[in-house]
Amino acid sequence: MTRLFEAKLLLPGLLVLATFFLFSSSAYAASFDLVLEGGRVIDPESGLDAVRNIGIKNGKIVKISRHELKAKRTVNVSGLVVSPGFIDLHAHGQNNIANDFQARDGVTTALELELGVYPVGKWYASRKNKAIINYGATVSHSISRALALHEVPPDHELDLFKDALAPDISRKELDDAALLRMTDILNQGVIDGGLGIGVGLAYVPGARRKEIFHLYQAAKSNSVPVFVHARVTSVVEPDSTSALQELIANSAATGAATHVCHIGSAGGVQVPTMLKMIDGARKNGVDISTEVYPYTAAHTFIGAAIFAGDWRKNIGMDYHDLQWTLSGERLTEDTFNKYRKEKSEGMVIAYFMPEHIVAAAISHPGVMIASDGGRWENNVGHPRGAGTFARVLGRYVREQKLLSLQDALAKMTILPALRLQSYTPMMLNKGRIKKGADADITVFDPLTIIDKASFEKPMQYSKGIHHVLVNGEFVVRDGESVRNTFPGKAIQNGK
Ligand SMILES: [Zn+2]
């Protein structure tokens, strides 16, 4: 009797105890490494634009909630926008000096897709566990063709400028045997993880139309796009629109996708026509996309093929429109000829794009934002490597009201992710704030965000970026760079 009584008392007690353990263990399981609390979460893919708390665990977004979330660390971000981290499809800066400026501009993934790299496997290995933000690259067409020409010993440490873009090599044409060798090299680069084929066509005038058609066939057989700096920027026939038509024709004929790099500097005053051509091609089933950087000047090396021949007439600019990057001086006929002869790899800033053209491209539906920036030379360079994304959000969204915040963020997040995800499944979890996505997150103040980098002082961090997370780790915290942390991961074809 007594024992039965005791058992009856014991049973509810055990139940209470069991319930306690059950709840406390589930509470433990539901805890997060980090919660971003009270921010205005904008996810361009789903259209979410509301105050939410975000729970992060093991580098992933695991919960998005209206309710309070418990975590080891909570960071209050009320009054700030919480966006997917920005994805830059055109970033030549692939080292941690460049990465620091990119992160401070809200970028969590920076990819070298235009000129590409070689050898691809070795390049990825060189960045492993060392990168501040996520990294990736295409296989370089210009180096692949130089190798196919047997202009470069295969065991030689390759230099893009000296070995592939120098006038004597870049002007050579490939015969049929060399075209086959080039295709093999490109195929291997994609197998090694290259995110497509990177083509600086304007820098290799020896590449005939047949060569580029072959290259597109290689891209199609590997199911990857071609990222291309089009053949000419010219107002004189064959002009910039004909350069774009070559790419559209190759995409249509092979089925490989085209991504047109920097439509602003590819087209200058012809950009409105070229955007109509791209829209029309898309409507008619061609897989083609483009990007723009928010500046009226380009940046390239003075030895480039685009400065050969009657370039002033072709591009519609003159010597004084060129600025020698190292000194800031405007060029004359004499200094232009001197530098082109003596320091052909030296960089010049080229002022030739009208502001209204740049603005039209930024606000055009479907045009992505990409920097083309980051090759810093003795601490000078084009400001786009430091200010592109904050400049769009501050100058064009807030000040000029040229496009909505949501539309601008889509151009920096989901649109670039969509461009890559069909062959790079990792990108399905980037460019989004959703459950299961990688915790690549940029937190900024929409009322103060602005670029500070200028042509006079390019290495200036953007303002208004409060926090940046890469795979769940802070690389920018409270507006300051977090040093000695390298959470950046490789973005590779097929992974
Ligand atoms: Zn380019």
Side-chain angles (χ1 to χ4, degrees):
M1 180 70 185
T2 313
R3 290 176 78 128
L4 189 64
F5 180 66
E6 278 173 2
K8 273 184 180 166
L9 273 182
L10 205 59
L11 200 61
L14 281 173
L15 276 174
V16 169
L17 212 62
T19 312
F20 173 77
F21 276 112
L22 201 70
F23 271 85
S24 62
S25 70
S26 71
Y28 180 74
S31 78
F32 308 100
D33 299 335
L34 171 70
V35 165
L36 298 176
E37 191 176 67
R40 176 186 167 192
V41 177
I42 299 181
D43 176 49
E45 184 183 44
S46 63
L48 175 69
D49 183 350
V51 173
R52 292 283 186 276
N53 303 314
I54 296 184
I56 294 159
K57 195 179 172 78
N58 298 330
K60 299 270 183 189
I61 295 169
V62 291
K63 194 149 184 120
I64 302 162
S65 176
R66 290 186 172 86
H67 304 295
E68 189 188 347
L69 303 175
K70 294 244 175 289
K72 292 174 195 156
R73 276 195 301 177
T74 297
V75 175
N76 187 292
V77 292
S78 54
L80 304 176
V81 167
V82 178
S83 163
F86 308 151
I87 299 167
D88 187 350
L89 295 186
H90 192 154
H92 298 300
Q94 293 289 329
N95 56 46
N96 285 344
I97 295 169
N99 274 185
D100 183 38
F101 283 95
Q102 291 155 340
R104 295 290 291 269
D105 198 31
V107 176
T108 54
T109 299
L111 307 172
E112 162 57 281
L113 303 185
E114 184 207 44
L115 292 177
V117 300
Y118 188 88
V120 173
K122 200 172 162 192
W123 181 84
Y124 273 105
S126 75
R127 295 294 287 147
K128 197 175 179 186
N129 299 325
K130 288 182 194 150
I132 296 171
I133 64 179
N134 303 311
Y135 57 93
T138 51
V139 56
S140 166
H141 161 243
S142 47
I143 296 181
S144 300
R145 74 187 300 282
L147 286 165
L149 280 163
H150 294 313
E151 287 292 340
V152 187
D155 54 348
H156 165 84
E157 195 62 38
L158 286 158
D159 180 295
L160 178 70
F161 293 100
K162 287 196 181 75
D163 295 328
L165 305 184
D168 52 331
I169 299 170
S170 65
R171 291 187 183 285
K172 284 211 169 119
E173 294 182 23
L174 273 62
D175 61 19
D176 286 352
L179 282 179
L180 290 177
R181 287 196 295 275
M182 181 188 80
T183 301
D184 286 345
I185 296 165
L186 293 172
N187 286 342
Q188 190 58 49
V190 175
I191 290 165
D192 291 345
L195 291 168
I197 302 176
V199 186
L201 193 43
Y203 300 108
V204 283
R208 309 315 302 159
R209 281 166 173 74
K210 181 177 171 185
E211 175 178 333
I212 302 307
F213 176 65
H214 266 259
L215 177 147
Y216 267 80
Q217 288 180 306
K220 176 61 182 175
S221 71
N222 289 290
S223 305
V224 295
V226 180
F227 296 83
V228 53
H229 179 146
R231 190 178 286 280
V232 289
T233 296
S234 176
V235 291
V236 177
E237 285 280 353
D239 65 3
S240 297
T241 61
S242 70
L244 175 60
Q245 282 169 338
E246 176 186 11
L247 308 177
I248 293 171
N250 280 330
S251 270
T254 62
T258 294
H259 182 78
V260 181
C261 293
H262 46 50
I263 188 78
S265 52
V269 294
Q270 294 171 93
V271 166
T273 307
M274 290 165 78
L275 288 173
K276 281 187 194 135
M277 291 165 77
I278 289 173
D279 289 346
R282 284 169 70 92
K283 266 194 206 108
N284 289 295
V286 175
D287 186 355
I288 182 165
S289 56
T290 191
E291 60 174 52
V292 69
Y293 55 78
Y295 296 88
T296 55
H299 193 217
T300 195
F301 64 108
I302 197 164
I306 55 174
F307 295 123
D310 205 356
W311 63 273
R312 291 183 297 155
K313 191 170 156 223
N314 292 345
I315 310 177
M317 62 191 295
D318 213 332
Y319 297 110
H320 64 258
D321 295 319
L322 295 178
Q323 187 175 17
W324 190 240
T325 311
L326 277 174
S327 62
E329 71 188 275
R330 293 294 183 128
L331 298 190
T332 62
E333 185 171 0
D334 287 349
T335 51
F336 173 86
N337 290 330
K338 178 175 180 289
Y339 289 140
R340 190 164 152 86
K341 198 168 161 214
E342 292 172 9
K343 199 174 187 315
S344 62
E345 75 286 5
M347 302 295 283
V348 281
I349 291 162
Y351 296 87
F352 73 97
M353 290 170 272
E355 170 70 28
H356 72 277
I357 294 284
V358 175
I362 290 170
S363 59
H364 193 85
V367 175
M368 299 170 214
I369 305 300
S371 75
D372 190 11
R375 206 178 267 121
W376 300 107
E377 188 186 31
N378 295 354
N379 297 335
V380 292
H382 192 298
R384 63 195 178 192
T388 287
F389 294 86
R391 183 171 174 85
V392 169
L393 296 171
R395 179 180 168 89
Y396 294 101
V397 173
R398 185 182 61 245
E399 292 174 2
Q400 299 188 9
K401 300 185 173 43
L402 188 71
L403 69 172
S404 73
L405 181 56
Q406 288 83 346
D407 286 348
L409 291 175
K411 290 164 175 277
M412 306 171 177
T413 60
I414 189 65
L415 292 183
L418 288 169
R419 175 75 284 177
L420 305 180
Q421 69 186 33
S422 67
Y423 61 102
T424 306
M426 270 182 89
M427 295 308 290
L428 289 161
N429 288 323
K430 299 212 176 285
R432 292 132 163 127
I433 301 279
K434 66 165 189 182
K435 199 176 160 191
D438 297 330
D440 292 346
I441 298 174
T442 293
V443 180
F444 64 92
D445 184 346
L447 301 177
T448 62
I449 190 166
I450 197 73
D451 60 310
K452 301 303 280 182
S454 63
F455 286 99
E456 293 72 35
K457 287 180 85 177
M459 288 185 97
Q460 305 294 315
Y461 294 129
S462 290
K463 201 180 134 210
I465 306 273
H466 284 237
H467 309 290
V468 178
L469 292 168
V470 173
N471 297 305
E473 283 188 43
F474 282 101
V475 296
V476 177
R477 177 84 197 260
D478 297 319
E480 296 293 333
S481 306
V482 179
R483 302 293 174 191
N484 299 313
T485 183
F486 306 104
K489 290 184 184 166
I491 312 290
Q492 286 169 289
N493 174 43
K495 294 200 176 144

PDB file of all heavy atoms in Angstrom, residues 90 92 114-115 199-200 202-203 228-230 261-262 265 291 293 299-300 372 384, ligand 1:
ATOM      1  N   HIS A  90      32.915  39.947 -61.073  1.00  0.00           N
ATOM      2  CA  HIS A  90      34.030  40.482 -61.864  1.00  0.00           C
ATOM      3  C   HIS A  90      35.018  41.172 -60.925  1.00  0.00           C
ATOM      4  O   HIS A  90      34.994  42.382 -60.750  1.00  0.00           O
ATOM      5  CB  HIS A  90      33.464  41.464 -62.902  1.00  0.00           C
ATOM      6  CG  HIS A  90      34.436  41.870 -63.954  1.00  0.00           C
ATOM      7  ND1 HIS A  90      34.053  42.287 -65.191  1.00  0.00           N
ATOM      8  CD2 HIS A  90      35.793  41.921 -63.954  1.00  0.00           C
ATOM      9  CE1 HIS A  90      35.124  42.581 -65.916  1.00  0.00           C
ATOM     10  NE2 HIS A  90      36.187  42.382 -65.178  1.00  0.00           N
ATOM     11  N   HIS A  92      39.023  41.320 -60.201  1.00  0.00           N
ATOM     12  CA  HIS A  92      40.406  40.948 -60.507  1.00  0.00           C
ATOM     13  C   HIS A  92      41.248  40.894 -59.237  1.00  0.00           C
ATOM     14  O   HIS A  92      42.273  40.231 -59.211  1.00  0.00           O
ATOM     15  CB  HIS A  92      41.008  41.935 -61.507  1.00  0.00           C
ATOM     16  CG  HIS A  92      40.281  41.951 -62.815  1.00  0.00           C
ATOM     17  ND1 HIS A  92      40.164  40.841 -63.606  1.00  0.00           N
ATOM     18  CD2 HIS A  92      39.594  42.926 -63.453  1.00  0.00           C
ATOM     19  CE1 HIS A  92      39.456  41.144 -64.696  1.00  0.00           C
ATOM     20  NE2 HIS A  92      39.095  42.400 -64.614  1.00  0.00           N
ATOM     21  N   GLU A 114      36.295  37.274 -65.705  1.00  0.00           N
ATOM     22  CA  GLU A 114      36.540  37.864 -67.023  1.00  0.00           C
ATOM     23  C   GLU A 114      37.866  37.402 -67.642  1.00  0.00           C
ATOM     24  O   GLU A 114      37.878  36.829 -68.728  1.00  0.00           O
ATOM     25  CB  GLU A 114      36.525  39.393 -66.957  1.00  0.00           C
ATOM     26  CG  GLU A 114      36.691  40.042 -68.328  1.00  0.00           C
ATOM     27  CD  GLU A 114      37.309  41.425 -68.260  1.00  0.00           C
ATOM     28  OE1 GLU A 114      38.286  41.612 -67.512  1.00  0.00           O
ATOM     29  OE2 GLU A 114      36.811  42.333 -68.932  1.00  0.00           O
ATOM     30  N   LEU A 115      38.966  37.651 -66.970  1.00  0.00           N
ATOM     31  CA  LEU A 115      40.256  37.248 -67.548  1.00  0.00           C
ATOM     32  C   LEU A 115      40.626  35.831 -67.150  1.00  0.00           C
ATOM     33  O   LEU A 115      41.367  35.151 -67.853  1.00  0.00           O
ATOM     34  CB  LEU A 115      41.355  38.236 -67.141  1.00  0.00           C
ATOM     35  CG  LEU A 115      41.208  39.641 -67.747  1.00  0.00           C
ATOM     36  CD1 LEU A 115      42.291  40.562 -67.241  1.00  0.00           C
ATOM     37  CD2 LEU A 115      41.211  39.601 -69.275  1.00  0.00           C
ATOM     38  N   VAL A 199      37.179  35.338 -71.068  1.00  0.00           N
ATOM     39  CA  VAL A 199      37.698  35.789 -72.365  1.00  0.00           C
ATOM     40  C   VAL A 199      37.890  37.310 -72.385  1.00  0.00           C
ATOM     41  O   VAL A 199      36.918  38.063 -72.380  1.00  0.00           O
ATOM     42  CB  VAL A 199      36.733  35.380 -73.502  1.00  0.00           C
ATOM     43  CG1 VAL A 199      37.350  35.729 -74.864  1.00  0.00           C
ATOM     44  CG2 VAL A 199      36.393  33.905 -73.440  1.00  0.00           C
ATOM     45  N   GLY A 200      39.135  37.739 -72.437  1.00  0.00           N
ATOM     46  CA  GLY A 200      39.421  39.168 -72.622  1.00  0.00           C
ATOM     47  C   GLY A 200      39.660  39.408 -74.100  1.00  0.00           C
ATOM     48  O   GLY A 200      40.776  39.682 -74.533  1.00  0.00           O
ATOM     49  N   ALA A 202      39.088  41.688 -76.256  1.00  0.00           N
ATOM     50  CA  ALA A 202      39.672  42.949 -76.733  1.00  0.00           C
ATOM     51  C   ALA A 202      41.188  42.966 -76.577  1.00  0.00           C
ATOM     52  O   ALA A 202      41.873  43.764 -77.209  1.00  0.00           O
ATOM     53  CB  ALA A 202      39.067  44.123 -75.973  1.00  0.00           C
ATOM     54  N   TYR A 203      41.710  42.086 -75.719  1.00  0.00           N
ATOM     55  CA  TYR A 203      43.155  42.065 -75.457  1.00  0.00           C
ATOM     56  C   TYR A 203      43.898  41.080 -76.345  1.00  0.00           C
ATOM     57  O   TYR A 203      45.122  41.006 -76.287  1.00  0.00           O
ATOM     58  CB  TYR A 203      43.413  41.718 -73.981  1.00  0.00           C
ATOM     59  CG  TYR A 203      42.805  42.708 -73.018  1.00  0.00           C
ATOM     60  CD1 TYR A 203      41.694  42.380 -72.246  1.00  0.00           C
ATOM     61  CD2 TYR A 203      43.348  43.987 -72.894  1.00  0.00           C
ATOM     62  CE1 TYR A 203      41.133  43.301 -71.375  1.00  0.00           C
ATOM     63  CE2 TYR A 203      42.796  44.905 -72.021  1.00  0.00           C
ATOM     64  CZ  TYR A 203      41.687  44.565 -71.264  1.00  0.00           C
ATOM     65  OH  TYR A 203      41.144  45.470 -70.409  1.00  0.00           O
ATOM     66  N   VAL A 228      32.848  37.390 -70.987  1.00  0.00           N
ATOM     67  CA  VAL A 228      33.678  37.985 -72.032  1.00  0.00           C
ATOM     68  C   VAL A 228      33.690  39.514 -72.034  1.00  0.00           C
ATOM     69  O   VAL A 228      32.660  40.166 -71.874  1.00  0.00           O
ATOM     70  CB  VAL A 228      33.273  37.395 -73.419  1.00  0.00           C
ATOM     71  CG1 VAL A 228      31.798  37.518 -73.661  1.00  0.00           C
ATOM     72  CG2 VAL A 228      34.047  38.008 -74.563  1.00  0.00           C
ATOM     73  N   HIS A 229      34.896  40.022 -72.184  1.00  0.00           N
ATOM     74  CA  HIS A 229      35.133  41.426 -72.506  1.00  0.00           C
ATOM     75  C   HIS A 229      35.128  41.471 -74.039  1.00  0.00           C
ATOM     76  O   HIS A 229      36.038  40.961 -74.677  1.00  0.00           O
ATOM     77  CB  HIS A 229      36.486  41.864 -71.931  1.00  0.00           C
ATOM     78  CG  HIS A 229      36.869  43.281 -72.220  1.00  0.00           C
ATOM     79  ND1 HIS A 229      37.574  44.051 -71.333  1.00  0.00           N
ATOM     80  CD2 HIS A 229      36.658  44.060 -73.298  1.00  0.00           C
ATOM     81  CE1 HIS A 229      37.790  45.246 -71.852  1.00  0.00           C
ATOM     82  NE2 HIS A 229      37.236  45.279 -73.056  1.00  0.00           N
ATOM     83  N   ALA A 230      34.093  42.058 -74.610  1.00  0.00           N
ATOM     84  CA  ALA A 230      33.822  41.951 -76.046  1.00  0.00           C
ATOM     85  C   ALA A 230      34.962  42.503 -76.901  1.00  0.00           C
ATOM     86  O   ALA A 230      35.827  43.245 -76.426  1.00  0.00           O
ATOM     87  CB  ALA A 230      32.519  42.662 -76.378  1.00  0.00           C
ATOM     88  N   CYS A 261      30.779  41.223 -69.941  1.00  0.00           N
ATOM     89  CA  CYS A 261      31.381  41.985 -68.848  1.00  0.00           C
ATOM     90  C   CYS A 261      31.196  43.489 -69.080  1.00  0.00           C
ATOM     91  O   CYS A 261      31.189  43.951 -70.216  1.00  0.00           O
ATOM     92  CB  CYS A 261      32.860  41.647 -68.737  1.00  0.00           C
ATOM     93  SG  CYS A 261      33.107  39.944 -68.198  1.00  0.00           S
ATOM     94  N   HIS A 262      31.052  44.210 -67.993  1.00  0.00           N
ATOM     95  CA  HIS A 262      30.970  45.674 -67.960  1.00  0.00           C
ATOM     96  C   HIS A 262      30.373  46.290 -69.223  1.00  0.00           C
ATOM     97  O   HIS A 262      31.095  46.872 -70.050  1.00  0.00           O
ATOM     98  CB  HIS A 262      32.332  46.304 -67.658  1.00  0.00           C
ATOM     99  CG  HIS A 262      33.499  45.750 -68.439  1.00  0.00           C
ATOM    100  ND1 HIS A 262      33.479  45.619 -69.794  1.00  0.00           N
ATOM    101  CD2 HIS A 262      34.712  45.308 -68.037  1.00  0.00           C
ATOM    102  CE1 HIS A 262      34.632  45.118 -70.196  1.00  0.00           C
ATOM    103  NE2 HIS A 262      35.392  44.917 -69.131  1.00  0.00           N
ATOM    104  N   SER A 265      31.571  50.017 -70.179  1.00  0.00           N
ATOM    105  CA  SER A 265      32.803  50.266 -70.913  1.00  0.00           C
ATOM    106  C   SER A 265      32.865  49.456 -72.202  1.00  0.00           C
ATOM    107  O   SER A 265      33.665  49.764 -73.084  1.00  0.00           O
ATOM    108  CB  SER A 265      34.036  50.008 -70.041  1.00  0.00           C
ATOM    109  OG  SER A 265      33.978  48.737 -69.459  1.00  0.00           O
ATOM    110  N   GLU A 291      26.463  42.946 -66.837  1.00  0.00           N
ATOM    111  CA  GLU A 291      26.785  43.600 -65.560  1.00  0.00           C
ATOM    112  C   GLU A 291      27.306  45.004 -65.860  1.00  0.00           C
ATOM    113  O   GLU A 291      27.666  45.302 -67.014  1.00  0.00           O
ATOM    114  CB  GLU A 291      27.900  42.817 -64.860  1.00  0.00           C
ATOM    115  CG  GLU A 291      29.126  42.797 -65.778  1.00  0.00           C
ATOM    116  CD  GLU A 291      30.392  42.188 -65.233  1.00  0.00           C
ATOM    117  OE1 GLU A 291      30.364  41.050 -64.746  1.00  0.00           O
ATOM    118  OE2 GLU A 291      31.432  42.885 -65.335  1.00  0.00           O
ATOM    119  N   TYR A 293      29.617  48.455 -63.814  1.00  0.00           N
ATOM    120  CA  TYR A 293      30.185  49.095 -62.613  1.00  0.00           C
ATOM    121  C   TYR A 293      29.790  50.574 -62.631  1.00  0.00           C
ATOM    122  O   TYR A 293      29.648  51.174 -63.703  1.00  0.00           O
ATOM    123  CB  TYR A 293      31.704  48.895 -62.503  1.00  0.00           C
ATOM    124  CG  TYR A 293      32.552  49.326 -63.657  1.00  0.00           C
ATOM    125  CD1 TYR A 293      32.873  50.670 -63.861  1.00  0.00           C
ATOM    126  CD2 TYR A 293      33.073  48.391 -64.539  1.00  0.00           C
ATOM    127  CE1 TYR A 293      33.676  51.056 -64.920  1.00  0.00           C
ATOM    128  CE2 TYR A 293      33.879  48.775 -65.611  1.00  0.00           C
ATOM    129  CZ  TYR A 293      34.172  50.112 -65.798  1.00  0.00           C
ATOM    130  OH  TYR A 293      34.967  50.504 -66.846  1.00  0.00           O
ATOM    131  N   HIS A 299      39.450  51.316 -66.528  1.00  0.00           N
ATOM    132  CA  HIS A 299      40.807  51.171 -66.007  1.00  0.00           C
ATOM    133  C   HIS A 299      41.441  49.991 -66.717  1.00  0.00           C
ATOM    134  O   HIS A 299      40.915  48.881 -66.657  1.00  0.00           O
ATOM    135  CB  HIS A 299      40.725  50.881 -64.495  1.00  0.00           C
ATOM    136  CG  HIS A 299      42.031  51.007 -63.780  1.00  0.00           C
ATOM    137  ND1 HIS A 299      42.392  50.160 -62.748  1.00  0.00           N
ATOM    138  CD2 HIS A 299      43.048  51.885 -63.917  1.00  0.00           C
ATOM    139  CE1 HIS A 299      43.583  50.525 -62.287  1.00  0.00           C
ATOM    140  NE2 HIS A 299      44.001  51.561 -62.971  1.00  0.00           N
ATOM    141  N   THR A 300      42.517  50.223 -67.413  1.00  0.00           N
ATOM    142  CA  THR A 300      43.157  49.107 -68.112  1.00  0.00           C
ATOM    143  C   THR A 300      44.629  49.420 -68.315  1.00  0.00           C
ATOM    144  O   THR A 300      45.102  50.487 -67.919  1.00  0.00           O
ATOM    145  CB  THR A 300      42.430  48.813 -69.443  1.00  0.00           C
ATOM    146  OG1 THR A 300      42.849  47.534 -69.918  1.00  0.00           O
ATOM    147  CG2 THR A 300      42.721  49.871 -70.507  1.00  0.00           C
ATOM    148  N   ASP A 372      34.677  44.860 -61.412  1.00  0.00           N
ATOM    149  CA  ASP A 372      35.840  44.878 -62.316  1.00  0.00           C
ATOM    150  C   ASP A 372      37.063  45.458 -61.584  1.00  0.00           C
ATOM    151  O   ASP A 372      37.987  45.955 -62.212  1.00  0.00           O
ATOM    152  CB  ASP A 372      35.523  45.695 -63.588  1.00  0.00           C
ATOM    153  CG  ASP A 372      36.596  45.560 -64.667  1.00  0.00           C
ATOM    154  OD1 ASP A 372      37.474  44.696 -64.532  1.00  0.00           O
ATOM    155  OD2 ASP A 372      36.556  46.345 -65.637  1.00  0.00           O
ATOM    156  N   ARG A 384      36.686  51.554 -58.049  1.00  0.00           N
ATOM    157  CA  ARG A 384      35.638  50.519 -58.105  1.00  0.00           C
ATOM    158  C   ARG A 384      35.977  49.296 -57.264  1.00  0.00           C
ATOM    159  O   ARG A 384      35.081  48.568 -56.834  1.00  0.00           O
ATOM    160  CB  ARG A 384      35.376  50.121 -59.562  1.00  0.00           C
ATOM    161  CG  ARG A 384      36.566  49.485 -60.252  1.00  0.00           C
ATOM    162  CD  ARG A 384      36.368  49.442 -61.758  1.00  0.00           C
ATOM    163  NE  ARG A 384      37.551  48.865 -62.411  1.00  0.00           N
ATOM    164  CZ  ARG A 384      37.785  48.898 -63.714  1.00  0.00           C
ATOM    165  NH1 ARG A 384      36.921  49.482 -64.521  1.00  0.00           N
ATOM    166  NH2 ARG A 384      38.867  48.351 -64.229  1.00  0.00           N
TER     167      ARG A 384
HETATM  168 ZN    ZN B   1      37.308  44.044 -69.009  1.00  0.00          ZN
END
